[in-house]
Amino acid sequence: MRIVLTIEEPNDAFQADLLALLAKHAAAVELDTEWTLERAGRFYQAVPKRAQRLLREAAVRDGFVSDEILREELDGKNLRGHAGPLKRALERGVREGWWPEGMQPPLGPRGPGFGKVKGYEMPQELVSTFFQAIAKPQPAGDGTPTLER
């Protein structure tokens, strides 16, 4: 049996009852943790401009944006603070009910370990989804640039 359920803006009592029911049947419940166009678009809109640029660059560059590309705009300064808003937006999405807990982060830092980040990488299976979601015209007409590969 497969049941697909979408609940927008549930009240607290309903949400608590539903979560209790799901917990009771947890062994048979499989959460949909796939990035869809809608989820990717909402995630992109939920992060600040600097993090949007990071996602946009990764999507345009087939999943990897190097530290040099990002530092061009920063006059060689460090990249500290780029990944934090991504993590917070992912956590916010769980709290707001935009997606379930367990969603794969769409982007992560790459480097030698401790020290300077050498770039940010998006899993290859997410590149197309995020590219399409970011390139899609935004309903508010916020001036998001058209993406080109």
Side-chain angles (χ1 to χ4, degrees):
M1 169 176 60
R2 180 169 190 219
I3 299 172
V4 177
L5 182 64
T6 302
I7 301 169
E8 295 181 8
E9 302 178 32
N11 66 40
D12 292 340
F14 177 82
Q15 185 172 351
D17 288 347
L18 180 60
L19 292 174
L21 177 65
L22 293 174
K24 180 179 174 183
H25 299 281
V29 174
E30 180 181 325
L31 295 177
D32 173 15
T33 58
E34 295 294 317
W35 282 104
T36 62
L37 288 175
E38 180 184 343
R39 286 175 175 172
R42 181 170 274 191
F43 184 82
Y44 179 75
Q45 292 301 313
V47 298
K49 297 288 182 202
R50 193 168 165 180
Q52 285 181 347
R53 177 176 180 245
L54 190 57
L55 288 165
R56 203 170 43 248
E57 291 288 344
V60 170
R61 297 174 187 280
D62 291 323
F64 185 78
V65 57
S66 71
D67 59 338
E68 289 98 16
I69 297 295
L70 296 170
R71 284 190 176 98
E72 284 175 6
E73 187 177 284
L74 300 172
D75 294 327
K77 295 178 186 169
N78 72 33
L79 299 178
R80 190 170 293 148
H82 271 75
L86 299 172
K87 180 181 178 193
R88 285 189 295 277
L90 195 60
E91 292 167 349
R92 178 180 174 210
V94 171
R95 282 192 313 273
E96 297 289 333
W98 299 340
W99 44 75
E101 195 168 343
M103 292 291 289
Q104 171 186 15
L107 202 61
R110 293 295 170 255
F114 296 104
K116 285 188 175 181
V117 169
K118 293 297 178 192
Y120 289 85
E121 188 170 27
M122 181 177 286
Q124 202 58 49
E125 66 272 12
L126 300 182
V127 172
S128 176
T129 302
F130 273 84
F131 182 88
Q132 291 175 52
I134 293 168
K136 187 172 110 178
Q138 300 303 318
D142 67 355
T144 301
T146 303
L147 299 181
E148 295 179 15
R149 284 190 182 199

